[in-house]
Amino acid sequence: MKTWFVTQVLPSLYLNDAFDRVKSGLNNFGGKLTGVLLIFGGVMIVVGSYYYSGGEEGKSKGKKIWLRVGGAVAIALIALGIISYIQDVMGSDGGFS
């Protein structure tokens, strides 16, 4: 005899659908975030170029901006690569069966 617990509660404990929704949401957010990061990086490189065209103090400030932007973009792209690799190793379902 099936009880309320067996028919209502146990099926909701299978979290595969919830994990799939979270994973697809994070992938969509990650793609948008990468685009925003690259656009912001491009704008900051232009700002660094503006400062670099000034005097000696401006050149120093421009170089600092370029190094920080380059480092931030590199770290973000490496992180996305690591996440993509982990997803590939775990399989298309994200490791949840």
Side-chain angles (χ1 to χ4, degrees), residues 1-91:
M1 181 163 128
K2 292 188 176 182
T3 64
W4 173 80
F5 182 78
V6 172
T7 59
Q8 300 295 320
V9 176
L10 284 181
S12 68
L13 293 178
Y14 298 113
L15 299 175
N16 288 340
D17 290 337
F19 285 127
D20 287 340
R21 288 181 186 153
V22 168
K23 186 177 95 172
S24 67
L26 287 176
N27 284 338
N28 290 339
F29 179 71
K32 291 176 184 174
L33 189 62
T34 303
V36 169
L37 174 73
L38 292 176
I39 290 171
F40 180 73
V43 169
M44 289 307 294
I45 287 175
V46 170
V47 169
S49 299
Y50 173 75
Y51 280 114
Y52 190 79
S53 66
E56 289 300 319
E57 186 176 325
K59 287 185 180 188
S60 173
K61 193 170 188 177
K63 287 179 185 178
K64 287 180 184 178
I65 290 173
W66 286 339
L67 288 174
R68 290 176 183 163
V69 168
V73 170
I75 288 171
L77 293 177
I78 289 170
L80 287 172
I82 290 171
I83 290 170
S84 175
Y85 175 75
I86 291 171
Q87 285 178 340
D88 288 344
V89 168
M90 291 178 73

